[in-house]
């Protein structure tokens, strides 16, 4: 026993040494007020010493968060002051906040293998053990599907929940497809997907939710990145596939710029070092291809697509490539507002969502999964669901102690979506 403890301690110790340190890094909130300021932001974006944090999307006149390491801070602040560019310091030392999160993680880790927890963030292996346990315990309703593999060979796993094929030969059951974790540092997203799974499968009160509607849920679409954020670099966003002739910190592709719908049209980068690098070509990543192949094989039955991200509290819908509105934007807006209202009614952490197209809310970002699902796979109702940031000083680090409140309120939105899909595609009530 003592030996085991020593081994465990030394593993923790080694991880700590290997992890990338953000000692002395600051996060600034920039408040652009004129075209000159916008130009400065554009210029900074091309330089990898500036980490842009708001989903990488920039819109003229909107405040934006950027993280910078210590050695450039004086130069940076002087430059801002010379240009009368206003800013706040959001986080004084990023490493301090990360340390606190690691501590919280260790204190609250409770789950045994095969269990789920919402007091802390689970490892990918624990998430998968939970799904497989559900597959064994609920074989009548749960199937575990492998949609593909990540670059490093981890399974891209979906849980399929169904009470069986339709008994009415005149109609097929609509499917709700959910994924989470495209951006691996947004840890709250897989947690929300796991809570949806837990509530649907394990809470008998929710059995009606899978009577007439089937569910496919992929709780972790970027497992390589997720493990990397758990063990090495908390703030990694992209995949982990190396780019030829690039240094380590320029690895990976932004999955949410890698889908083949107006690929690289706007708000995406061809620079491998950029956080919004779209990849060498559309669908260059096995993770985005896994989604593509599943939709091309099952597209007609899928009626709703939800992709969970964080941290700006927004229900977003296509288009993300340009400010054009889709034909059915009124329906997308209305359904998004119903979902947001359900959260507002039940929130205990003061979540305030807005609803809009991605481009109008955040600026363009072509190649997003929701754009492709709507534009190519023909699933009309597609959303990018931006979860809140809670009261963490650093927006990505949604505090574990608020996690249960966040997953619970988000499930209220899921109920709304379910009811809408069941009414429209099973009961055939046009709404
Ligand atoms: C969407 O965003 C645009 C640009 O900020 C704004 O003018 C518009 O009112 C927003 N739409 C909704 C429905 O809030
Ligand atoms: C989507 O709709 C278009 C236009 O009707 C059609 O050409 C295309 O084959 C459809 N795509 C899929 C995946 O069904
Ligand atoms: Zn994201």
């Amino acid at each position: 026993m003592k030996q085991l403890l020593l081994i465990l301690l030394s593993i923790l110790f080694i991880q700590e040494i290997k992890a990338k340190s953000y000692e002395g890094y600051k996060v600034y909130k920039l408040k652009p007020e004129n075209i000159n300021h916008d130009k400065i932001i554009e210029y900074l974006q091309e330089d990898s010493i500036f980490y842009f944090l708001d989903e990488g999307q920039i819109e003229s006149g909107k405040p934006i968060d950027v993280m910078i390491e210590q050695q450039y801070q004086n130069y940076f602040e002087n430059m801002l002051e010379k240009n009368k560019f206003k800013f706040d310091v959001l986080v004084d030392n990023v490493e301090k906040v990360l340390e606190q999160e690691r501590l919280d993680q260790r204190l609250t880790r409770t789950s045994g293998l095969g269990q789920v927890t919402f007091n802390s963030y689970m490892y990918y292996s624990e998430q998968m053990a939970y799904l497989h346990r559900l597959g064994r315990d609920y074989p009548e309703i749960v199937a575990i599907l492998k949609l593909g593999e990540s670059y490093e060979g981890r399974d891209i796993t979906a849980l399929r929940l169904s009470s069986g094929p339709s008994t009415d030969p005149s109609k097929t059951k609509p499917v709700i497809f959910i994924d989470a974790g495209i951006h691996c540092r947004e840890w709250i997203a897989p947690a929300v997907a796991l809570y949806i799974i837990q509530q649907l499968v394990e809470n008998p009160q929710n059995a009606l939710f899978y009577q007439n509607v089937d569910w496919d849920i992929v709780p972790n679409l970027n497992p390589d990145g997720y493990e990397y954020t758990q063990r090495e670099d908390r703030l990694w966003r992209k995949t982990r596939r190396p780019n030829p002739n690039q240094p380590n910190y320029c690895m990976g592709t932004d999955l949410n710029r890698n889908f083949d719908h107006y690929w690289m049209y706007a708000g995406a980068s061809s620079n491998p070092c950029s956080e919004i690098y779209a990849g060498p070509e559309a669908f260059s990543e096995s993770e985005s291809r896994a989604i593509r192949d599943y939709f091309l094989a099952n597209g007609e039955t899928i009626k709703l697509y939800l992709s969970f991200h964080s941290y700006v509290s927004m229900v977003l819908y296509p288009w993300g490539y340009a400010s054009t509105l889709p034909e059915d934007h009124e329906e997308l807006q209305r359904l998004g507002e119903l979902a947001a209202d359900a959260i507002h009614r039940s929130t205990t952490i003061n979540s305030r969502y807005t609803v809009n197209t991605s481009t109008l809310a955040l600026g363009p970002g072509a190649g997003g999964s929701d754009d492709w699902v709507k534009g190519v796979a023909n699933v009309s109702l597609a959303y990018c669901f931006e979860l809140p940031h809670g009261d963490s000083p650093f927006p990505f680090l949604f505090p574990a102690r608020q996690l249960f409140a966040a997953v619970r309120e988000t499930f209220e939105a899921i109920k709304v979506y379910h009811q809408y899909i069941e009414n429209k595609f099973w009961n055939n009530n046009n709404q």
Side-chain angles (χ1 to χ4, degrees):
M1 188 61 203
K2 206 168 161 194
Q3 221 167 4
L4 184 65
L5 194 66
L6 273 177
I7 291 169
L8 283 174
L9 282 175
S10 65
I11 289 171
L12 285 175
F13 191 60
I14 289 164
Q15 277 177 10
E16 206 124 359
I17 287 174
K18 275 200 325 199
K20 177 174 166 79
S21 170
Y22 286 91
E23 184 61 36
Y25 282 62
K26 279 192 165 88
V27 179
Y28 297 84
K29 185 176 276 303
L30 306 184
K31 299 167 173 174
E33 285 170 338
N34 55 47
I35 291 182
N36 180 34
H37 295 164
D38 292 345
K39 286 230 175 77
I40 291 174
I41 289 178
E42 242 171 69
Y43 172 77
L44 298 176
Q45 268 200 305
E46 284 307 307
D47 196 327
S48 56
I49 67 170
F50 304 101
Y51 295 76
F52 284 84
L53 302 176
D54 296 276
E55 291 289 15
Q57 287 158 322
I58 312 293
E59 205 199 350
S60 174
K62 291 225 167 118
I64 180 152
D65 300 345
V66 59
M67 180 174 74
I68 301 166
E69 64 185 284
Q70 203 156 23
Q71 56 171 317
Y72 306 115
Q73 286 164 8
N74 274 342
Y75 155 81
F76 180 67
E77 289 180 20
N78 285 338
M79 184 276 292
L80 292 177
E81 270 150 22
K82 262 192 217 125
N83 286 283
K84 300 198 161 43
F85 198 154
K86 291 193 185 129
F87 64 91
D88 292 331
V89 174
L90 218 56
V91 184
D92 201 48
N93 181 359
V94 169
E95 189 62 21
K96 278 252 156 57
V97 190
L98 296 181
E99 255 167 40
Q100 186 58 47
E101 188 188 58
R102 283 196 294 265
L103 197 63
D104 290 349
Q105 274 288 91
R106 246 172 256 162
L107 293 178
T108 55
R109 290 196 83 79
T110 50
S111 74
L113 213 58
Q115 302 302 308
V116 69
T117 178
F118 303 102
N119 296 318
S120 64
Y121 295 100
M122 296 165 74
Y123 288 122
Y124 165 77
S125 56
E126 297 172 320
Q127 297 169 346
M128 294 304 110
Y130 177 59
L131 298 193
H132 288 287
R133 205 265 292 164
L134 294 181
R136 287 193 299 276
D137 286 359
Y138 301 88
E140 278 89 44
I141 52 171
V142 169
I144 304 300
L145 314 177
K146 177 173 168 175
L147 305 195
E149 269 182 19
S150 68
Y151 172 73
E152 291 173 355
R154 295 184 177 87
D155 286 357
I156 311 278
T157 307
L159 179 138
R160 162 158 269 261
L161 174 63
S162 172
S163 61
S166 166
T167 48
D168 178 345
S170 73
K171 52 188 184 183
T172 48
K173 292 183 179 180
V175 178
I176 294 177
F177 189 101
I178 295 174
D179 66 40
I182 280 186
H183 291 141
C184 48
R185 64 192 177 188
E186 299 162 10
W187 285 2
I188 184 180
V192 161
L194 288 168
Y195 185 76
I196 296 167
I197 288 173
Q198 188 224 19
Q199 282 302 302
L200 294 176
V201 176
E202 298 204 277
N203 183 349
Q205 283 181 339
N206 294 327
L208 282 176
F209 288 112
Y210 56 87
Q211 281 315 297
N212 305 320
V213 173
D214 292 343
W215 302 74
D216 290 332
I217 305 179
V218 180
N220 197 333
L221 186 51
N222 182 4
D224 298 350
Y226 187 80
E227 283 299 280
Y228 193 70
T229 59
Q230 287 266 3
R231 297 173 198 278
E232 313 246 351
D233 180 352
R234 176 65 183 88
L235 302 179
W236 193 258
R237 162 184 167 99
K238 300 188 281 181
T239 60
R240 291 296 301 161
R241 197 171 61 78
N243 295 309
N245 308 319
Q246 295 290 336
N248 268 350
Y249 61 87
C250 298
M251 271 171 95
T253 292
D254 182 350
L255 278 181
N256 217 32
R257 299 291 184 282
N258 192 236
F259 284 73
D260 194 8
H261 181 262
Y262 288 86
W263 182 76
M264 277 295 293
Y265 182 82
S269 175
S270 56
N271 172 4
C273 301
S274 165
E275 293 283 44
I276 52 170
Y277 177 49
E281 64 201 5
F283 289 123
S284 58
E285 306 306 294
S286 59
E287 296 86 356
S288 50
R289 289 199 300 271
I291 296 294
R292 174 194 67 186
D293 296 346
Y294 193 71
F295 271 81
L296 292 182
N298 302 278
E300 269 163 50
T301 58
I302 300 172
K303 299 301 178 196
L304 173 68
Y305 173 69
L306 300 176
S307 186
F308 281 104
H309 288 253
S310 70
Y311 58 92
V312 289
S313 307
M314 290 178 177
V315 181
L316 302 174
Y317 54 88
W319 303 113
Y321 73 92
S323 54
T324 342
L325 295 173
E327 247 171 55
D328 54 353
H329 67 95
E330 282 178 8
E331 181 181 13
L332 283 157
Q333 176 73 26
R334 194 155 35 90
L335 176 54
E337 284 172 6
L338 289 174
D341 287 347
I343 293 178
H344 295 163
R345 278 195 301 275
S346 65
T347 186
T348 56
I349 52 172
N350 205 22
S351 298
R352 286 273 148 247
Y353 279 80
T354 55
V355 185
N356 213 327
T357 79
S358 298
T359 302
L360 292 181
L362 295 173
S369 65
D370 54 335
D371 269 24
W372 182 85
V373 162
K374 181 172 178 61
V376 181
N378 299 334
V379 178
S380 309
L381 301 172
Y383 291 87
C384 170
F385 205 105
E386 284 274 347
L387 295 158
H389 56 66
D391 64 11
S392 164
F394 193 36
F396 286 115
L397 311 185
F398 190 93
R401 82 193 128 69
Q402 292 185 311
L403 184 57
F404 189 63
V407 298
R408 214 172 28 184
E409 72 182 28
T410 311
F411 193 66
E412 296 304 309
I414 295 300
K415 290 180 186 169
V416 167
Y417 278 122
H418 165 266
Q419 185 178 39
Y420 190 88
I421 295 301
E422 184 172 64
N423 275 339
K424 181 167 177 175
F425 296 101
W426 182 258
N427 302 328
N428 293 316
N429 290 339
N430 283 324
Q431 359 197 347

PDB file of all heavy atoms in Angstrom, residues 339-351:
ATOM      1  N   ALA A 339     -34.866  27.789 -25.622  1.00  0.00           N
ATOM      2  CA  ALA A 339     -33.846  27.072 -24.851  1.00  0.00           C
ATOM      3  C   ALA A 339     -33.191  28.005 -23.831  1.00  0.00           C
ATOM      4  O   ALA A 339     -33.025  27.655 -22.649  1.00  0.00           O
ATOM      5  CB  ALA A 339     -32.791  26.481 -25.792  1.00  0.00           C
ATOM      6  N   ALA A 340     -32.843  29.209 -24.283  1.00  0.00           N
ATOM      7  CA  ALA A 340     -32.201  30.174 -23.380  1.00  0.00           C
ATOM      8  C   ALA A 340     -33.143  30.555 -22.238  1.00  0.00           C
ATOM      9  O   ALA A 340     -32.719  30.652 -21.076  1.00  0.00           O
ATOM     10  CB  ALA A 340     -31.768  31.421 -24.158  1.00  0.00           C
ATOM     11  N   ASP A 341     -34.444  30.735 -22.560  1.00  0.00           N
ATOM     12  CA  ASP A 341     -35.410  31.104 -21.514  1.00  0.00           C
ATOM     13  C   ASP A 341     -35.503  30.019 -20.450  1.00  0.00           C
ATOM     14  O   ASP A 341     -35.629  30.311 -19.254  1.00  0.00           O
ATOM     15  CB  ASP A 341     -36.799  31.318 -22.126  1.00  0.00           C
ATOM     16  CG  ASP A 341     -36.866  32.612 -22.927  1.00  0.00           C
ATOM     17  OD1 ASP A 341     -35.925  33.424 -22.787  1.00  0.00           O
ATOM     18  OD2 ASP A 341     -37.825  32.791 -23.698  1.00  0.00           O
ATOM     19  N   ALA A 342     -35.464  28.767 -20.891  1.00  0.00           N
ATOM     20  CA  ALA A 342     -35.554  27.665 -19.917  1.00  0.00           C
ATOM     21  C   ALA A 342     -34.378  27.729 -18.947  1.00  0.00           C
ATOM     22  O   ALA A 342     -34.525  27.457 -17.750  1.00  0.00           O
ATOM     23  CB  ALA A 342     -35.580  26.323 -20.646  1.00  0.00           C
ATOM     24  N   ILE A 343     -33.219  28.091 -19.443  1.00  0.00           N
ATOM     25  CA  ILE A 343     -32.052  28.219 -18.568  1.00  0.00           C
ATOM     26  C   ILE A 343     -32.216  29.416 -17.634  1.00  0.00           C
ATOM     27  O   ILE A 343     -31.973  29.318 -16.431  1.00  0.00           O
ATOM     28  CB  ILE A 343     -30.752  28.344 -19.401  1.00  0.00           C
ATOM     29  CG1 ILE A 343     -30.499  27.023 -20.145  1.00  0.00           C
ATOM     30  CG2 ILE A 343     -29.567  28.693 -18.502  1.00  0.00           C
ATOM     31  CD1 ILE A 343     -29.287  27.023 -21.043  1.00  0.00           C
ATOM     32  N   HIS A 344     -32.686  30.530 -18.181  1.00  0.00           N
ATOM     33  CA  HIS A 344     -32.874  31.722 -17.334  1.00  0.00           C
ATOM     34  C   HIS A 344     -33.825  31.443 -16.182  1.00  0.00           C
ATOM     35  O   HIS A 344     -33.607  31.893 -15.068  1.00  0.00           O
ATOM     36  CB  HIS A 344     -33.402  32.901 -18.163  1.00  0.00           C
ATOM     37  CG  HIS A 344     -32.421  33.367 -19.191  1.00  0.00           C
ATOM     38  ND1 HIS A 344     -32.765  34.160 -20.256  1.00  0.00           N
ATOM     39  CD2 HIS A 344     -31.087  33.124 -19.320  1.00  0.00           C
ATOM     40  CE1 HIS A 344     -31.688  34.393 -20.993  1.00  0.00           C
ATOM     41  NE2 HIS A 344     -30.663  33.767 -20.450  1.00  0.00           N
ATOM     42  N   ARG A 345     -34.872  30.676 -16.471  1.00  0.00           N
ATOM     43  CA  ARG A 345     -35.853  30.388 -15.416  1.00  0.00           C
ATOM     44  C   ARG A 345     -35.265  29.544 -14.298  1.00  0.00           C
ATOM     45  O   ARG A 345     -35.713  29.616 -13.164  1.00  0.00           O
ATOM     46  CB  ARG A 345     -37.070  29.660 -16.011  1.00  0.00           C
ATOM     47  CG  ARG A 345     -38.071  30.604 -16.661  1.00  0.00           C
ATOM     48  CD  ARG A 345     -39.407  29.892 -16.900  1.00  0.00           C
ATOM     49  NE  ARG A 345     -39.265  28.712 -17.753  1.00  0.00           N
ATOM     50  CZ  ARG A 345     -39.274  28.755 -19.087  1.00  0.00           C
ATOM     51  NH1 ARG A 345     -39.435  29.907 -19.720  1.00  0.00           N
ATOM     52  NH2 ARG A 345     -39.140  27.651 -19.790  1.00  0.00           N
ATOM     53  N   SER A 346     -34.264  28.712 -14.617  1.00  0.00           N
ATOM     54  CA  SER A 346     -33.808  27.769 -13.601  1.00  0.00           C
ATOM     55  C   SER A 346     -32.404  28.058 -13.080  1.00  0.00           C
ATOM     56  O   SER A 346     -31.941  27.384 -12.163  1.00  0.00           O
ATOM     57  CB  SER A 346     -33.847  26.345 -14.182  1.00  0.00           C
ATOM     58  OG  SER A 346     -32.919  26.252 -15.235  1.00  0.00           O
ATOM     59  N   THR A 347     -31.729  29.057 -13.633  1.00  0.00           N
ATOM     60  CA  THR A 347     -30.321  29.223 -13.257  1.00  0.00           C
ATOM     61  C   THR A 347     -30.154  29.629 -11.782  1.00  0.00           C
ATOM     62  O   THR A 347     -30.947  30.408 -11.251  1.00  0.00           O
ATOM     63  CB  THR A 347     -29.598  30.253 -14.163  1.00  0.00           C
ATOM     64  OG1 THR A 347     -28.201  30.246 -13.827  1.00  0.00           O
ATOM     65  CG2 THR A 347     -30.153  31.656 -13.987  1.00  0.00           C
ATOM     66  N   THR A 348     -29.131  29.060 -11.170  1.00  0.00           N
ATOM     67  CA  THR A 348     -28.757  29.467  -9.811  1.00  0.00           C
ATOM     68  C   THR A 348     -27.380  30.130  -9.818  1.00  0.00           C
ATOM     69  O   THR A 348     -26.835  30.458  -8.776  1.00  0.00           O
ATOM     70  CB  THR A 348     -28.707  28.243  -8.874  1.00  0.00           C
ATOM     71  OG1 THR A 348     -27.798  27.276  -9.430  1.00  0.00           O
ATOM     72  CG2 THR A 348     -30.065  27.613  -8.709  1.00  0.00           C
ATOM     73  N   ILE A 349     -26.797  30.267 -11.021  1.00  0.00           N
ATOM     74  CA  ILE A 349     -25.466  30.878 -11.117  1.00  0.00           C
ATOM     75  C   ILE A 349     -25.501  32.088 -12.048  1.00  0.00           C
ATOM     76  O   ILE A 349     -24.497  32.498 -12.608  1.00  0.00           O
ATOM     77  CB  ILE A 349     -24.409  29.853 -11.615  1.00  0.00           C
ATOM     78  CG1 ILE A 349     -24.879  29.158 -12.899  1.00  0.00           C
ATOM     79  CG2 ILE A 349     -24.112  28.820 -10.546  1.00  0.00           C
ATOM     80  CD1 ILE A 349     -23.824  28.279 -13.555  1.00  0.00           C
ATOM     81  N   ASN A 350     -26.743  32.629 -12.198  1.00  0.00           N
ATOM     82  CA  ASN A 350     -26.896  33.884 -12.917  1.00  0.00           C
ATOM     83  C   ASN A 350     -26.452  33.803 -14.382  1.00  0.00           C
ATOM     84  O   ASN A 350     -25.884  34.759 -14.906  1.00  0.00           O
ATOM     85  CB  ASN A 350     -26.119  34.987 -12.184  1.00  0.00           C
ATOM     86  CG  ASN A 350     -26.708  36.349 -12.478  1.00  0.00           C
ATOM     87  OD1 ASN A 350     -27.878  36.439 -12.873  1.00  0.00           O
ATOM     88  ND2 ASN A 350     -25.908  37.388 -12.323  1.00  0.00           N
ATOM     89  N   SER A 351     -26.706  32.698 -15.043  1.00  0.00           N
ATOM     90  CA  SER A 351     -26.371  32.584 -16.463  1.00  0.00           C
ATOM     91  C   SER A 351     -27.309  33.458 -17.282  1.00  0.00           C
ATOM     92  O   SER A 351     -28.516  33.456 -17.072  1.00  0.00           O
ATOM     93  CB  SER A 351     -26.500  31.132 -16.923  1.00  0.00           C
ATOM     94  OG  SER A 351     -25.589  30.328 -16.226  1.00  0.00           O
TER      95      SER A 351
END
